[in-house]
Amino acid sequence: MNDSKSPKGWYSRGYLPHFDAGEARTQFITCRLYDSLPQELLAKIRKEIEIRKPNDIERETLLLAEKYLDKGYGQCFLGRREVAEIVRDSLTKLDGDRYTLKAWVVMPNHIHLLLRPLAGHTLEEIMHSFKSYTALQSNRALQREGQFWMRETFDRYIRDTDHFGRAFRYIENNPVKARLCKKPEDWEFSSVWERRHLAGNDREAI
């Protein structure tokens, strides 16, 4: 008998491979808006992968996608404060309940998460619930209908401490890399901003 709450291991929903290790692994996750990588860019990524034939296709696919995501394709709904707040609040609300959120950032057309599911919750369940809720609420705020998130996500399980550190730094430095701010802590919709802000409030309270 299959348990729908059990981690699925490697699986695919189409183009991208995914690995759901349940609470056993922290995952680096990228969710992008439906129009953030047009078909011509996806075709370009596929072509580059075919030409280069890298040993780690999953990693190279992610790196190439990141290069184009940071250029800000699409309508960039997440760049609007009311939408970014919906996504941020949804992410942080269930931190410690369904998952442990190690790092996160909301970019104009995508988000990055470093997330570890807690017992009884699978990565697929977590992301489905998050994307469904935020899509509904964001569309209401934008007074629009239709697709909001791209169906596929990029996810990569964290192998070791060094990999965790690189992923953590990448997420919190992404706004700087994309030239949206000068320092990571300047980007309001991120774990580093929240961490600094809460620390400042704590000091004021003391």
Side-chain angles (χ1 to χ4, degrees), residues 3-30:
D3 183 355
S4 62
K5 297 291 186 179
S6 298
K8 299 171 66 173
W10 284 107
Y11 66 100
S12 175
R13 291 188 296 270
Y15 174 57
L16 297 173
H18 304 274
F19 186 82
D20 186 350
E23 61 179 314
R25 293 279 190 173
T26 298
Q27 303 265 357
F28 176 88
I29 302 162
T30 300

Side-chain angles (χ1 to χ4, degrees), residues 195-206:
R195 191 165 62 247
R196 295 291 180 89
H197 182 70
L198 291 177
N201 286 344
D202 289 344
R203 283 195 295 272
E204 290 176 7
I206 293 172

Side-chain angles (χ1 to χ4, degrees), residues 50-104:
E50 289 172 1
I51 293 171
R52 291 163 58 177
K53 293 182 171 61
N55 292 328
D56 192 337
I57 292 176
E58 180 193 3
R59 178 176 182 273
E60 289 302 313
T61 301
L62 177 60
L63 289 175
L64 287 171
E66 292 295 325
K67 179 176 73 173
Y68 293 115
L69 284 173
D70 285 343
K71 291 183 179 181
Y73 286 99
Q75 298 182 71
C76 294
F77 293 135
L78 300 175
R80 304 188 188 189
R81 169 169 285 275
E82 65 271 28
V83 177
E85 288 176 347
I86 289 168
V87 172
R88 175 200 61 197
D89 294 347
S90 180
L91 281 174
T92 57
K93 181 179 180 180
L94 297 176
D95 182 20
D97 180 19
R98 298 183 185 178
Y99 47 78
T100 300
L101 195 57
K102 307 288 188 178
W104 58 274

Side-chain angles (χ1 to χ4, degrees), residues 30-33 36 65-66 68-72 76 78 105-112 149 170 174 178:
T30 300
C31 299
R32 56 190 176 89
L33 296 183
S36 60
E66 292 295 325
Y68 293 115
L69 284 173
D70 285 343
K71 291 183 179 181
C76 294
L78 300 175
V105 65
V106 179
M107 300 289 286
N109 65 359
H110 66 285
I111 65 171
H112 291 305
W149 296 107
Y170 181 89
N174 196 191

